Amino acid sequence: MRIILLGAPGAGKGTVAKLLTEYDGSIQISTGDILRSAVKEGTALGKEAKGYMDRGDLVPDELIMKLMEERLQQDDCGKGFILDGFPRTIPQAEALKQLLAKLKMNLDFVVNLEVPRDVILDRLTTRRTCSNPDCQEIYNIKSNPPTPDGKCKKCGSPVIQRDDETEEAILNRLETYQEKTAPLAGFYERDGILKNFESIESQETVKKIKAALG
Ligand code: ADP
Ligand code: ZN
């Protein structure tokens, strides 16, 4: 499959993407994960991106497009991909459209995950992330806690609250989403490839997406 996952921070894009990779071997491409690894490794991209990310602002479109232009041409994309957290702005969506045309790739459709705002807020403030850049497993202190001493169940690394998960940064991310990313639903609706999914429980949502894929 080739799909884009749209949805607010905390809508469950990462979880849904991971479950979908198990369906047909398509890979998950998360710009957030790529950027966090770059920050951790201290690459030039990471150094440029860190300040924006910590404040909950978007990283500039040019940086993201450079990254994605390279990423989408790697061999593993031949298996199909699930774009998680990209595109995030209208200019990114327009650039992606041209890039996909150039690479002769069609999208199946764009999945818009619709989640009530109170659910989103609750999830974001209780979310914790594995600090190992190669793992980045997501936990929730209420519904899916790490080990009692705060370690990742998969890799044993400490599970942390991300710098962009302070209350101030969370509110900024939600505002940025409304302003910059929410308009993408209209963009893809006009292209006739948008599908809306009410999503509270990820497994259920994945079933519905699979059914839509046929
Ligand atoms: P969330 O969806 O929970 O906000 P992500 O892991 O997708 O988190 O992204 C974390 C941060 O990385 C964003 O707040 C932003 O700073 C940056 N980022 C990720 N993807 C993009 C993108 N496509 N364009 C611009 N910035 C991005
Ligand atoms: Zn881990």
Side-chain angles (χ1 to χ4, degrees), residues 7-14 30-36 49-61 63-65 67-68 84-89 92 124 127 136 138 162 164-165 169 173-174 176-177 181:
K13 295 187 298 291
S30 157
T31 39
D33 285 352
I34 295 171
L35 290 168
R36 275 186 291 280
K50 185 173 182 350
Y52 297 100
M53 295 173 73
D54 287 352
R55 288 189 297 275
D57 288 334
L58 293 180
V59 172
D61 290 334
L63 275 186
I64 298 287
M65 288 318 301
L67 173 110
M68 286 305 294
D84 159 14
F86 170 84
R88 273 264 224 305
T89 64
Q92 288 181 20
L124 287 175
R127 182 150 98 174
Q136 308 198 31
I138 289 171
R162 278 167 26 188
D164 65 356
E165 281 169 356
R173 277 157 69 206
L174 289 174
T176 304
Y177 172 78
T181 309

Side-chain angles (χ1 to χ4, degrees), residues 81-210:
F81 50 74
I82 300 143
L83 301 183
D84 159 14
F86 170 84
R88 273 264 224 305
T89 64
I90 296 281
Q92 288 181 20
E94 275 166 352
L96 175 64
K97 203 167 167 176
Q98 291 190 359
L99 178 59
L100 290 175
K102 189 176 96 182
L103 300 176
K104 298 197 166 55
M105 291 174 168
N106 286 318
L107 293 173
D108 292 298
F109 47 76
V110 176
V111 170
N112 189 27
L113 299 178
E114 299 182 304
V115 185
R117 187 178 163 94
D118 54 331
V119 176
I120 295 257
L121 267 176
D122 187 59
R123 273 192 202 155
L124 287 175
T125 47
T126 53
R127 182 150 98 174
R128 300 292 181 273
T129 309
C130 172
S131 59
N132 173 359
D134 295 326
C135 176
Q136 308 198 31
E137 185 74 3
I138 289 171
Y139 292 91
N140 182 294
I141 51 176
K142 287 193 203 157
S143 61
N144 174 29
T147 65
D149 62 342
K151 300 280 162 54
C152 175
K153 290 184 190 163
K154 273 199 174 160
C155 76
S157 305
V159 167
I160 53 158
Q161 190 162 18
R162 278 167 26 188
D163 287 334
D164 65 356
E165 281 169 356
T166 62
E167 200 179 320
E168 198 190 350
I170 287 171
L171 291 177
N172 190 28
R173 277 157 69 206
L174 289 174
E175 210 168 287
T176 304
Y177 172 78
Q178 277 311 329
E179 188 188 326
K180 305 266 176 60
T181 309
L184 292 186
F187 178 93
Y188 288 116
E189 174 120 66
R190 285 190 286 282
D191 272 0
I193 53 172
L194 186 78
K195 283 189 200 284
N196 292 307
F197 295 84
E198 272 175 39
S199 179
I200 297 199
E201 212 282 300
S202 300
Q203 301 269 6
E204 281 303 310
T205 306
V206 166
K207 274 188 208 152
K208 288 189 260 172
I209 296 172
K210 285 181 190 169

